[in-house]
Amino acid sequence: MSIKAEEISALIKKQIENYQSDMEVNDVGTVIQVGDGIARAYGLDNVMSGELVEFSNGVMGMAQNLEESNVGIIILGPYTDIREGDQVRRTGRIMEVPVGEELIGRVVNPLGQPIDGLGPINTTKTRPIESPAPGVMDRKSVHEPLQTGIKAIDALVPIGRGQRELIIGDRQTGKTTVAIDTILNQADQNMICVYVAIGQKNQQFVERLKRFVDMALLTTQSLLVHLHHNLHHYYSLQHIQE
């Protein structure tokens, strides 16, 4: 059996025509330092400020400090398993979170992922966490009062809906208590309340979550954001409601 050169040539041409290159290029860096929820990596020369990055163990982070020799990354998850020398790669996506009425009554982490054991959040809308604020002329004027439920504050300090109010005080002086009591006082007031727990212990957060559940406020007009990576291992909202 003889093989003709024309047949070999035709076969090679066919293989070349059907060849498809699925080449994928990713910017990958290396962790050089990690601690207290912050990692530094080099090799991510083209990373954008606020871009989501992914570590080799699947934990996400947000690029923040873009320095000449390295990048500072905020770790949005457990950082105890991230070690020096681990790889971190770009995602090409600026950090954004889901938005919409579907989030009302839910407890989410910084990425907007539910951690309350009640299933996924069915929303298709997202919004970058860093976006330009509307100008002063575009904002609606403060025209409606907000009652905190604390007579001394309501009598001395006028507060309106949409107004920024800063609570200053030393540790353990009741700043969080004032804020939570104000949220609880908004029941049946047609007002959306967002409570963000930063640096709080799981036990503290669960106790405050129980107060929202007892007041039936969480399921109607509140959104809770807990900046902790393993809270979903600690409680289930269905268990608290029971």
Side-chain angles (χ1 to χ4, degrees):
M1 179 179 178
S2 60
I3 301 178
K4 297 181 180 180
E6 294 81 2
E7 295 179 356
I8 298 177
S9 177
L11 182 60
I12 293 175
K13 290 181 179 179
K14 185 177 181 180
Q15 293 292 336
I16 293 175
E17 292 176 355
N18 295 332
Y19 175 76
Q20 294 181 353
S21 176
D22 297 329
M23 184 180 298
E24 182 179 356
V25 178
N26 290 324
D27 288 344
V28 179
T30 304
V31 177
I32 58 176
Q33 183 182 359
V34 60
D36 296 331
I38 302 296
R40 290 191 173 275
Y42 77 91
L44 299 176
D45 298 334
N46 299 320
V47 71
M48 299 177 289
S49 178
E51 180 179 346
L52 278 176
V53 297
E54 184 178 0
F55 294 91
S56 55
N57 62 348
V59 174
M60 305 299 293
M62 182 176 68
Q64 197 70 14
N65 291 351
L66 306 183
E67 300 181 5
E68 184 176 352
S69 58
N70 61 76
V71 176
I73 302 172
I74 300 175
I75 304 175
L76 303 175
Y79 61 88
T80 54
D81 296 332
I82 299 176
R83 297 286 187 268
E84 180 181 344
D86 288 354
Q87 289 188 342
V88 54
R89 67 177 184 86
R90 294 182 57 193
T91 62
R93 295 184 290 113
I94 298 297
M95 183 171 176
E96 57 185 11
V97 293
V99 296
E101 295 185 357
E102 294 83 0
L103 273 79
I104 299 177
R106 303 302 300 270
V107 184
V108 300
N109 63 11
L111 293 172
Q113 300 168 342
I115 54 175
D116 50 14
L118 297 183
I121 298 176
N122 298 319
T123 177
T124 57
K125 300 178 182 178
T126 59
R127 184 175 182 178
I129 63 169
E130 298 286 352
S131 57
V136 176
M137 299 304 296
D138 296 330
R139 303 179 188 178
K140 188 176 182 179
S141 61
V142 178
H143 68 285
E144 188 174 355
L146 183 144
Q147 303 295 331
T148 66
I150 303 173
K151 292 183 179 180
I153 296 178
D154 293 335
L156 298 175
V157 184
I159 302 176
R161 293 193 179 188
Q163 173 181 333
R164 300 179 182 182
E165 196 70 29
L166 179 63
I167 306 175
I168 303 177
D170 294 331
R171 296 183 66 233
Q172 303 297 324
T173 55
K175 302 186 297 296
T176 302
T177 301
V178 171
I180 291 180
D181 288 344
T182 301
I183 293 177
L184 295 176
N185 192 61
Q186 306 311 310
D188 301 325
Q189 297 296 320
N190 191 27
M191 187 172 186
I192 302 298
C193 303
V194 180
Y195 177 73
V196 182
I198 304 176
Q200 293 188 6
K201 296 180 180 179
N202 284 336
Q203 183 62 38
Q204 287 180 321
F205 184 77
V206 170
E207 290 175 357
R208 287 164 183 164
L209 177 61
K210 289 180 180 178
R211 293 187 62 185
F212 285 102
V213 173
D214 293 340
M215 293 289 294
L217 188 66
L218 180 61
T219 57
T220 57
Q221 57 190 91
S222 292
L223 165 65
L224 276 67
V225 181
H226 188 50
L227 303 187
H228 203 287
H229 56 79
N230 62 353
L231 183 67
H232 58 284
H233 296 305
Y234 195 79
Y235 81 102
S236 170
L237 186 57
Q238 289 177 332
H239 176 70
I240 291 178
Q241 291 173 335
E242 294 173 358

